[in-house]
């Protein structure tokens, strides 16, 4: 199914425009993903389109954890989809919709392989995918959506006029009014087994008769969503039973394990850009740390000031962060030399200077290493009892975390009242959501509201992303004056 060769892509210029939509491989924007990929793809595409989709699903899960309203979730997801997994309607004449749908199809099935391995992952995947389907359903072209619904068997029967008249009084109780006495309502009604719409039954939004539910057209989406969920749940169960056949291919299992770990962390996106366009000096770091750093980097900075030393993984995590923040190699050497003030010049040059240069790509294999993302900090190099690296939201004991949060951010507006909400998300394992909420609270004075995240509702996924936005906000407050002087 997958190899390193590239199969042809759909070429709309070679297609017969006179053919019906059903003659294409993916006739509709909406998809129940019934058919597994039969085409060959490269390993690069295998990973790329799955990661694009994972970024969107991770933000959807973050939205649930942050108790966003449906409209807020829909708005954030729509923006994420536009950036990562665009999917246009068939009427978009200037877009290769078949390639878009192929990539969407591929990404979904790769993530199935990654998230079928445990009950918790399957549950979270179904919930996020169902929300994504609903966002697309509600924004779909009306005519195309109707054609999609007609193409599938949802096991519903449209109620005829006689049956509507028979239950006219009961239907009126559902808010379905008759246009005039003796004439049935023009609103469509669908009859399904009540087990297909348990949510509507629970909310008393349907008429129940002889084991069937009479569903108004305005509630039709519930039937569709439940069918989507059931279809995906069954598919994940089937995939889980056959996944062992792939365990021998280390190329694929390594990619899939990375993705499933990323979903557990609740983080998928990366941040590769510098925090600011400004170069910073060694003597600026202490002030920047107090005003702009996330808790993980604040903790590393305070440990460094206190102990005049950091262990290897702490130096690596903090050093790469500072490099991306804008600390040049010369300033980095000056910063670490001053910080390790209890060492002689000879010991510092022999044991530490090489590693600093190495992280800038000036020694060894000369790779320009990026700063660590939240996902990497959460899931790799677990800190020991005397270590300072890692994510405080995950690795600190609850009492220590609360004490640290108040000590670090009380001067920026965080109060003990805010801790209940932050600790709830920590307890649920949504560490990046807790960090995002702290960002919102500590930047409230600058106009950041709950739900804004680091911009347009996006959650924190990288320490440098946090610092970049904080510096940007301060610059804006100063009227574009330099935030670091």
């Amino acid at each position: 199914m997958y190899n390193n060769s590239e199969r042809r892509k759909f070429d709309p210029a070679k297609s017969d425009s006179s053919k019906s939509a059903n003659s294409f491989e993916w006739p509709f924007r909406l998809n129940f993903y019934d058919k597994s990929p039969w085409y060959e793809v490269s390993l690069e595409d295998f990973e790329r389109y799955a990661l694009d989709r994972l970024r969107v699903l991770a933000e959807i899960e973050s939205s649930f954890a942050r108790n966003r309203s449906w409209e807020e979730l829909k708005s954030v997801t729509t923006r994420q989809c536009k950036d990562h997994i665009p999917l246009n309607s068939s009427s978009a004449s200037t877009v290769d919709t078949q390639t878009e749908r192929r990539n969407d199809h591929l990404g979904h099935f790769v993530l199935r392989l990654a998230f079928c391995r445990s009950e918790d992952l399957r549950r979270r995947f179904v919930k996020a995918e169902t929300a994504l389907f609903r966002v697309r359903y509600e924004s779909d072209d009306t005519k195309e959506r109707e054609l999609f619904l007609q193409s599938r068997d949802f096991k519903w029967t449209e109620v005829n006029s006689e049956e509507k008249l028979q239950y006219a009084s009961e239907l009126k109780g559902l808010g379905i009014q008759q246009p005039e006495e003796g004439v049935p309502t023009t609103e469509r009604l669908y009859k399904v087994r009540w087990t297909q719409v348990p949510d509507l039954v629970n909310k008393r939004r349907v008429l129940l008769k002889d084991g069937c539910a009479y569903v108004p057209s305005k509630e039709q989406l519930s039937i569709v969503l439940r069918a989507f969920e059931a279809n995906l749940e069954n598919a994940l169960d089937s995939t889980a039973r056959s996944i062992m056949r792939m365990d021998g291919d280390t190329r694929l299992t390594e990619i899939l394990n990375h993705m499933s770990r990323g979903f557990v962390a609740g983080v998928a996106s990366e941040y590769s850009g510098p925090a600011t366009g400004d170069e910073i000096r060694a003597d600026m770091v202490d002030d920047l740390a107090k005003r702009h750093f996330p808790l993980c980097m604040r903790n590393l900075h305070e440990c460094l000031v206190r102990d005049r030393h950091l262990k290897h993984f702490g130096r690596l995590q903090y050093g790469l962060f500072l490099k991306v923040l804008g600390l040049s190699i010369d300033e980095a050497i000056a910063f670490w030399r001053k910080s390790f003030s209890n060492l002689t010049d000879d010991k510092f040059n022999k044991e530490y200077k090489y590693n600093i240069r190495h992280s800038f790509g000036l020694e060894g294999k000369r790779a320009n290493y990026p700063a660590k993302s939240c996902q990497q900090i959460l899931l790799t190099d677990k800190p020991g009892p005397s270590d300072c690296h890692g994510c405080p939201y995950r690795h600190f004991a609850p009492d220590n975390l609360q004490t640290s949060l108040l000590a670090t951010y009380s001067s920026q507006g965080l109060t003990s009242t805010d801790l209940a909400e932050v600790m709830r998300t920590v307890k649920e394992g949504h560490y990046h959501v807790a960090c995002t909420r702290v960002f919102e609270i500590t930047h409230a004075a600058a106009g950041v509201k709950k739900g804004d995240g680091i911009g347009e509702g996006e959650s924190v996924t990288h320490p440098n992303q946090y610092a970049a936005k904080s510096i940007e906000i301060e610059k804006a407050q100063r009227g574009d004056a330099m935030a670091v002087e």
Side-chain angles (χ1 to χ4, degrees), residues 83 108 233 260 319 372 399:
D83 292 339
H108 171 87
E233 287 167 355
S260 62
K372 289 183 176 292
D399 289 345

Side-chain angles (χ1 to χ4, degrees), residues 53-238:
R53 192 180 194 88
L54 183 55
R55 291 187 177 100
V56 177
L57 297 185
E59 194 59 49
I60 289 174
E61 184 170 79
S62 172
S63 293
F64 286 129
R66 294 165 71 179
N67 292 321
R68 282 179 171 146
S69 68
W70 171 250
E71 290 304 317
E72 290 173 329
L73 184 151
K74 184 177 178 180
S75 176
V76 170
T77 303
T78 300
R79 287 195 297 267
Q80 290 283 316
C81 286
K82 185 177 180 180
D83 292 339
H84 301 298
I85 49 173
L87 205 60
N88 287 276
S89 65
S90 299
S91 60
S93 57
T94 60
V95 178
D96 184 356
T97 57
Q98 287 298 299
T99 295
E100 284 185 343
R101 294 170 190 182
R102 172 191 180 274
N103 298 340
D104 175 77
H105 186 253
L106 174 60
H108 171 87
F109 273 93
V110 175
L111 293 188
R112 272 196 196 179
L113 296 174
F115 302 142
C116 70
R117 300 175 179 229
S118 75
E119 183 178 347
D120 178 61
L121 284 176
R122 291 195 292 271
R123 175 185 56 79
R124 294 168 69 175
F125 183 62
V126 169
K127 185 177 181 181
E129 279 282 348
T130 302
L132 175 60
F133 179 87
R134 181 182 172 187
V135 168
R136 288 174 169 174
Y137 183 96
E138 293 185 354
S139 62
D140 202 22
D141 177 81
T142 303
K143 184 177 179 180
E144 188 174 335
R145 182 171 60 201
E146 189 63 28
L147 288 173
F148 167 76
L149 294 177
Q150 292 173 10
S151 72
R152 300 192 60 85
D153 180 13
F154 288 98
K155 295 182 172 56
W156 62 39
T157 303
E158 190 167 347
V159 180
N160 58 34
S161 299
E162 292 181 2
E163 204 167 0
K164 289 179 183 178
L165 284 173
Q166 182 181 355
Y167 300 119
S169 60
E170 291 95 331
L171 292 173
K172 187 176 181 180
L174 294 174
I176 302 174
Q177 301 292 332
Q178 304 283 6
E180 58 183 72
E181 190 65 30
V183 179
T185 177
T186 56
E187 182 175 351
R188 287 184 176 181
L189 279 173
Y190 300 93
K191 183 164 65 173
V192 298
R193 295 296 301 174
W194 73 269
T195 52
Q196 290 180 242
V197 285
D199 57 325
L200 296 181
V201 173
N202 183 54
K203 296 175 183 177
R204 299 186 178 184
R205 292 183 179 176
V206 294
L207 171 65
L208 291 178
K209 290 288 183 181
D210 300 324
C212 291
Y214 289 75
V215 183
S217 58
K218 63 183 180 181
E219 304 288 358
Q220 183 185 39
L221 177 58
S222 288
I223 305 174
V224 179
L225 291 181
R226 183 66 193 107
F228 180 87
E229 287 179 344
N231 187 73
L232 184 52
E233 287 167 355
N234 292 335
L236 286 169
D237 288 340
S238 177

